[in-house]
Amino acid sequence: RLSSGRRRHREPAAEGCPPGDGGSMRCQQVSVLYFARSAELAGLRSETLSVPRQITSLQLWEEIVKVHPRLAAIRDQVVFAVQQEYVLLGDQLLVLQPGDEVAIIPPISGG
């Protein structure tokens, strides 16, 4: 039986992407890669997350930590890279494109 009302298209909820943001902060799907200790803490090596198109590097880190709270333990030691360029966690504004790659790289020690 057909309904006379329209069905609402359902999209997966995106962390940090408020509904009805007017397009100024459209969400982008980015690929997040986890290495070494960050992969252990996150429990996976990669995933796709929706984040605001314009976001500071610190806000991006906080969005990732919302999904994987255990990553907070390495916050002061992590190296963060966006599109293979190192980024300091702070107020640096990032303008993300669909499919951009974000890498979480903890310090590597060895002898």
Side-chain angles (χ1 to χ4, degrees):
R1 187 168 132 164
L2 296 175
S3 170
S4 60
R6 286 188 152 167
R7 292 194 124 194
R8 187 176 163 153
H9 178 68
R10 294 178 60 189
E11 295 180 1
E15 289 291 322
C17 295
D21 64 5
S24 63
M25 288 187 54
R26 291 178 316 200
C27 290
Q28 302 299 328
Q29 296 283 325
V30 296
S31 184
V32 183
L33 308 176
Y34 302 95
F35 295 93
R37 181 84 173 121
S38 68
E40 293 172 20
L41 293 170
L44 69 168
R45 290 205 157 294
S46 67
E47 67 183 329
T48 300
L49 294 179
S50 287
V51 295
R53 181 175 178 266
Q54 294 187 8
I55 189 170
T56 67
S57 55
L58 182 58
Q59 290 169 330
L60 180 56
W61 170 253
E62 290 169 349
E63 290 298 319
I64 293 167
V65 170
K66 282 182 193 175
V67 178
H68 303 288
R70 294 176 62 199
L71 289 173
I74 62 170
R75 189 247 184 256
D76 293 331
Q77 304 144 9
V78 75
V79 174
F80 199 58
V82 178
Q83 287 302 98
Q84 300 180 0
E85 290 188 28
Y86 293 118
V87 176
L88 294 175
L89 296 185
D91 294 334
Q92 179 180 349
L93 184 64
L94 305 172
V95 180
L96 301 172
Q97 301 300 320
D100 274 1
E101 186 179 271
V102 177
I104 311 300
I105 308 165
I108 298 174
S109 61

